[in-house]
Amino acid sequence: MRRIFTPLAPFWRSMRRSIPMALVGGIALLAAMVAASLFFAREASRDANEALAAVRLHARSVQVFGALQDAETGQRGYLLTGDESYLEPYLRARSAAESRFLSLEDQLDDIGMAHARIAELDGLVRDKLAELDSTVELYKRGNAQAALAVVETRRGKELMDRIRLVMSDIERLGTGNAKARVATLDTITSWLTAFIAVSAGLLAIIVGAVLHRLVSHAVALEGAQEALSRINETLEEKVAVRTEHLQRVNAEVQSYAYIVGHDLRAPLVNIMGFTEELDRSARIFREWLERQPGRDDGDARAARLAVEEEIPEALGFIRSSTRRMDLLINQILVLARAGTRSLHAEYVSVGSLVRESLDSLRHQMQERGIEAEISGALPPVVTDRLALQQILGNLLENAVKYTDSSRKGRIAIRGWLDGLAVHLEIRDNGRGIAEKDLERIFELFRRSGLQDQPGDGVGLAHVRALARRLGGDVKVQSTLGEGTVFTVTLAADLGREQKEDAK
């Protein structure tokens, strides 16, 4: 036995140095790939959200101008005919113009519009609404000639022309912001693709180097030649498959949803594939060690420790990280689809929907000793049932999840109709949210407070995206240590909103 192992001393020294170092290097590279992919995913999501916000801002400006035109049409019809049936569309369009402008005004800073220009637009819109109101009021009091005289001054047309110019500035700034974010997305995609390609190449080199080292010493290792030959024969094919896959993914990157669905998932496939390659290489090395009788020196023990404990532990961490990233990608896809799925407006009993959501949480509520109360009858709405169900489910689940164990948990739900909108309020006496985090919690991947509950920081971003698609928004008020109130505003009749937007 001594004559067999003595000539292999150089082999043992090279194996002890190169194999563990290569495996550690591969694990470090895989961990870097996971971290980089998560970073690129967050950056891509942020830029895509900002691009979408810029496009939606332009759409809102068009809606404001359209509502002003509709209000002006109703005004002219009433002044010319005296028919009060023109007042209903006038009042509806006027209300829509005012409310939509208030929503638009708060977001003009985000696209870099000058404060003076915003103030000018505010004054123009107010002047236009005042001009419309004054003529209608004059006509109602029987002074038709004075009302028509105001119209003939052409001040109303001048105001609309000036408003149109400011709206053109909004369109230009919004389009510029959207293009800039799309360009940033393209850059992120290129960097991500290049990083994955380079990393995959380095991994292939590492795996190839390890296998080459094993094959070159196969003549001294009984039984290892067949296993190493199989790996060597399939290595070229596997590398070709991975290379083809990366090229195909790189060629197909065109939009944000496709980036999330394919480009960000493609690295996961590579990571899991190369993880299995490293795992199999470690198993081969471990099996080879087990076939070496009498070898129990410090080097052999260190090698066994590496392949039996340290490497499996590191690979386990990589697998858990890839599962985590896969979950994040799925959540991002859910958020992306929320902005593209066609909404189906139907009659929805909000009370029944709330009770269904509470029933699904009944077991958790009983375990935590939480009581829920619905105050009065909740107003029904005409909206997309699935979207509203997801909104209520997320908010109620958070109210249950973040209770304060020092006191009995309580959840109160109430709702009311306010003109063309329905408001739903979910109040709890849980942990509360710090003031500095009240807006951050609606950002993707942002969470606040103690991180002792499962979550990815996607739920509230999803809730706000859905609420805005349903013609409303979601607001939060909270006092740390006392509780939180979420207020969801929805269009009372989404079908009506959709028809108006289509005009």
Side-chain angles (χ1 to χ4, degrees), residues 175-249:
T175 302
N177 282 359
K179 288 181 178 179
R181 295 306 176 188
V182 169
T184 304
L185 277 175
D186 290 339
T187 301
I188 289 175
T189 301
S190 299
W191 276 104
L192 178 58
T193 304
F195 180 80
I196 294 301
V198 172
S199 298
L202 291 175
L203 283 173
I205 292 172
I206 290 172
V207 173
V210 171
L211 293 176
H212 176 74
R213 176 71 66 175
L214 293 172
V215 171
S216 65
H217 293 85
V219 292
L221 305 174
E222 184 179 359
Q225 185 172 4
E226 181 179 355
L228 290 174
S229 297
R230 285 198 302 270
I231 294 174
N232 192 50
E233 290 169 0
T234 59
L235 178 60
E236 184 176 354
E237 179 183 352
K238 290 177 180 177
V239 172
V241 170
R242 298 291 186 270
T243 302
E244 180 183 356
H245 179 70
L246 287 172
Q247 292 172 344
R248 184 171 63 253
V249 170

Side-chain angles (χ1 to χ4, degrees), residues 252-402:
E252 292 174 354
V253 174
Q254 295 179 354
S255 65
Y256 167 66
Y258 205 80
I259 292 170
V260 173
H262 293 267
D263 285 39
L264 295 183
R265 185 161 278 122
L268 279 183
V269 175
N270 289 326
I271 291 169
M272 289 185 286
F274 283 113
T275 300
E276 294 307 317
E277 287 295 325
L278 288 172
D279 192 19
R280 187 158 75 170
S281 296
R283 286 199 306 270
I284 292 172
F285 185 45
R286 183 169 57 250
E287 291 170 1
W288 181 85
L289 286 173
E290 291 172 353
R291 291 196 296 270
Q292 308 308 311
R295 183 73 178 187
D296 194 28
D297 54 19
D299 292 338
R301 286 193 297 273
R304 289 191 181 95
L305 178 63
V307 299
E308 292 176 1
E309 296 182 17
E310 295 173 353
I311 293 174
E313 180 181 356
L315 292 176
F317 168 75
I318 292 172
R319 290 189 178 103
S320 65
S321 297
T322 56
R323 285 193 296 271
R324 166 78 171 170
M325 183 177 176
D326 188 53
L327 178 61
L328 290 176
I329 291 172
N330 289 333
Q331 294 290 350
I332 294 172
L333 277 174
V334 169
L335 189 59
R337 292 190 187 108
T340 58
R341 184 178 70 84
S342 297
L343 299 178
H344 175 61
E346 60 179 300
Y347 176 86
V348 177
S349 170
V350 178
S352 298
L353 209 58
V354 169
R355 283 187 286 273
E356 288 176 13
S357 297
L358 289 174
D359 286 341
S360 68
L361 296 167
R362 188 68 59 194
H363 180 68
Q364 298 177 45
M365 293 170 62
Q366 290 174 349
E367 283 186 341
R368 298 169 184 247
I370 300 173
E371 293 183 355
E373 177 187 1
I374 301 176
S375 301
L378 300 179
V381 294
V382 176
T383 191
D384 185 89
R385 180 183 180 85
L386 177 59
L388 182 55
Q389 187 177 45
Q390 290 174 331
I391 291 172
L392 294 173
N394 268 288
L395 294 179
L396 289 171
E397 183 180 0
N398 281 352
V400 172
K401 187 188 297 184
Y402 296 108

Side-chain angles (χ1 to χ4, degrees), residues 61 81 274 308 447 490:
S61 69
T81 66
F274 283 113
E308 292 176 1
R447 302 179 68 193
L490 307 170

